Amino acid sequence: MATKKQIILPLVVIVIGIAGFAGMAALKKPPEEKEELDTTPLVSVQAVEIRPMDFSVSSYGVVAAKYETELVSQVNGEIVYLSEKFVRGGFVKKGDILAKIDPSDYDAALIDAQANMASARATLVQEKAFGKVAEAEWKRIKDGVPTELSLRKPQLAQEIAKLNSSEAGLKRAKRNVERTVIKAPYDSLIEARNIGLGSYVSMGTNLGKVLSTGNAEIRLPIADKEIQFLTNKGNNADVILKGNFAGQPQEWKAKIVRSEGVIDSRSRMTYLVAEVADPYGLKSNNNELRYGTYVTASIGGVHAGEVTKVARHLVINGQVAVLDDDSKLKYVDVNVVRQIGSQVIITDGLDSGMNLITSALDYPIEGMQLALPKDKSLENDDSEAQPTQIAMEEKE
């Protein structure tokens, strides 16, 4: 039989276990109620600004001289003189002597032509005298009728023709003498010189090349759809050119002087020609604009009126998303008149001060409730402030 001790000990253990379980259960805190999560989507917005705008059309091009001239010899001979300015990169004025060809043979030909001219004049004077004598003799003859030959009219016409021929020969000889002196046709920059002192040149030899410095031209390609934004198709429009010189950004003013009038068969572009006066600043204080410089151009266009700029990706199917006064999603129809890079120009549909939604929404539905980050921040600030306020009241 079990002893008294064996019966009481298990009972004690059971009682202690039950008491310990009850104590631990009493210490355990009841589950806290979870706060409701605010699932209202957050969006970022941008205030719409309506401003007046003048359209401009962007383009690019390479600066070139308005006139380029190949200097070609018109006579034969040896180069006996070269100007110090007649070097690549030299600047010369209109009429400056660049080179001279040996004129000895042409001076001799000029003297010969002058002699022929004098001889022809003397012969003509003599023939006119013979004609007057013949006419006087025929007046004394009453019964005869004089012929043109008897009056020496054919001989007179022949001498007049010889005089005219000698005059032409004299002009030719003078012109050949003048052609032995090579002059600059206009204020120019020497691009190339192909001769040296003592070189022999013949008619048609290329002596060098000059570029005019009075005006520079830039061919600017324009897409057909961009022409609608230019006044008078771009004629006489003001142009701002931008490029680099000596490692520094520079700007130059230009003006559209003409359109080339055809569409390029390869690029399908229309070319406008802009002109810059005094590109090398020789007569003014303009920034130097060297030939061959690559420049970008902004061509002034028509007045667009009151418009706003919006990022291109925000316009979908002609609509943009806005946040209305009740913080709800609303779609607005807009009129896009032009796209410029990553932005579009809108003329109708948006009013100044409207909140344009700039962030993406996962499942947008018109009329859905939205919130701004600053509104959530205010709610958090209020919830944090309440316990502090209650604690202060209890302390008081």
Side-chain angles (χ1 to χ4, degrees):
M1 291 183 65
T3 63
K4 190 176 182 180
K5 183 178 181 181
Q6 290 176 334
I7 296 173
I8 296 173
L9 185 60
L11 292 175
V12 172
V13 172
I14 293 171
V15 172
I16 293 173
I18 293 172
F21 178 79
M24 293 178 64
L27 293 174
K28 185 177 179 180
K29 293 182 178 179
E32 296 181 358
E33 293 184 2
K34 294 184 178 180
E35 296 181 0
E36 293 184 4
L37 296 177
D38 187 358
T39 59
T40 305
L42 292 177
V43 294
S44 58
V45 297
Q46 172 186 332
V48 174
E49 295 183 4
I50 307 294
R51 295 180 179 179
M53 174 186 289
D54 291 327
F55 281 141
S56 63
V57 175
S58 299
S59 187
Y60 57 90
V62 177
V63 182
K66 185 175 183 178
Y67 301 113
E68 299 181 2
T69 302
E70 299 279 353
L71 300 177
V72 177
S73 174
Q74 294 178 288
V75 293
N76 305 327
E78 179 185 356
I79 300 296
V80 295
Y81 170 78
L82 282 177
S83 171
E84 293 181 354
K85 296 180 181 179
F86 192 23
V87 291
R88 184 177 178 85
F91 290 96
V92 293
K93 298 284 187 180
K94 179 180 180 180
D96 285 355
I97 297 175
L98 306 179
K100 291 182 181 180
I101 299 173
D102 185 5
S104 302
D105 294 340
Y106 301 102
D107 288 340
L110 177 60
I111 294 173
D112 190 23
Q114 290 171 340
N116 292 335
M117 177 81 173
S119 176
R121 282 180 176 173
T123 303
L124 178 61
V125 171
Q126 186 178 13
E127 189 57 43
K128 286 181 178 180
F130 288 157
K132 290 181 179 180
V133 170
E135 185 179 357
E137 290 179 352
W138 274 101
K139 286 181 179 180
R140 290 196 295 269
I141 301 173
K142 296 181 180 180
D143 297 335
V145 179
T147 63
E148 290 188 355
L149 183 61
S150 61
L151 294 177
R152 302 186 66 86
K153 288 185 178 181
Q155 294 87 335
L156 179 62
Q158 183 179 13
E159 295 304 325
I160 292 175
K162 288 182 179 179
L163 178 61
N164 291 336
S165 177
S166 63
E167 286 180 351
L170 179 60
K171 289 181 180 180
R172 191 180 303 110
K174 287 181 178 180
R175 188 169 62 249
N176 285 338
V177 172
E178 293 173 355
R179 287 173 175 173
T180 61
V181 180
I182 311 301
K183 297 181 180 180
Y186 39 70
D187 292 353
S188 51
L189 167 69
I190 307 299
E191 185 185 47
R193 191 191 77 189
N194 303 326
I195 56 173
L197 193 62
S199 301
Y200 183 85
V201 297
S202 57
M203 190 177 298
T205 299
N206 191 320
L207 307 179
K209 185 178 181 180
V210 296
L211 309 174
S212 65
T213 56
N215 294 284
E217 288 188 343
I218 305 95
R219 296 176 70 237
L220 302 174
I222 305 295
D224 181 70
K225 65 179 181 180
E226 295 292 300
I227 296 178
Q228 62 181 308
F229 303 114
L230 296 176
T231 305
N232 194 23
K233 298 180 181 179
N235 290 326
N236 296 319
D238 293 326
V239 183
I240 299 297
L241 302 175
K242 294 183 179 181
N244 292 321
F245 177 70
Q248 299 295 326
Q250 300 285 347
E251 285 190 4
W252 301 270
K253 293 182 179 180
K255 185 174 285 292
I256 300 296
V257 293
R258 69 180 186 277
S259 169
E260 293 190 353
V262 296
I263 297 177
D264 187 87
S265 59
R266 292 176 295 179
S267 64
R268 309 309 302 168
M269 294 282 192
T270 297
Y271 281 86
L272 301 180
V273 179
E275 190 171 289
V276 179
D278 192 22
Y280 280 85
L282 301 177
K283 299 178 181 179
S284 61
N285 294 324
N286 295 342
N287 295 329
E288 184 176 351
L289 179 59
R290 295 185 177 185
Y291 296 146
T293 301
Y294 177 85
V295 294
T296 57
S298 177
I299 307 171
V302 298
H303 182 63
E306 300 289 329
V307 299
T308 185
K309 287 183 179 181
V310 172
R312 182 179 59 185
H313 69 274
L314 298 179
V315 182
I316 301 175
N317 297 327
Q319 293 182 324
V320 295
V322 298
L323 189 68
D324 65 12
D325 296 337
D326 297 327
S327 295
K328 293 182 179 180
L329 173 63
K330 180 181 178 182
Y331 287 104
V332 177
D333 294 325
V334 294
N335 180 32
V336 177
V337 295
R338 191 184 182 195
Q339 176 181 325
I340 304 176
S342 62
Q343 294 185 318
V344 292
I345 307 301
I346 295 175
T347 56
D348 299 313
L350 295 177
D351 297 326
S352 182
M354 293 180 69
N355 289 324
L356 182 67
I357 298 175
T358 59
S359 57
L361 293 171
D362 292 334
Y363 303 102
I365 299 175
E366 186 166 9
M368 67 185 297
Q369 191 69 39
L370 301 175
L372 297 175
K374 63 179 182 180
D375 297 335
K376 288 292 185 83
S377 298
L378 291 175
E379 290 179 4
N380 293 336
D381 291 344
D382 292 341
S383 62
E384 292 175 358
Q386 279 184 342
T388 305
Q389 186 176 1
I390 293 173
M392 292 178 66
E393 291 176 355
E394 290 179 352
K395 187 175 180 182
E396 293 175 356

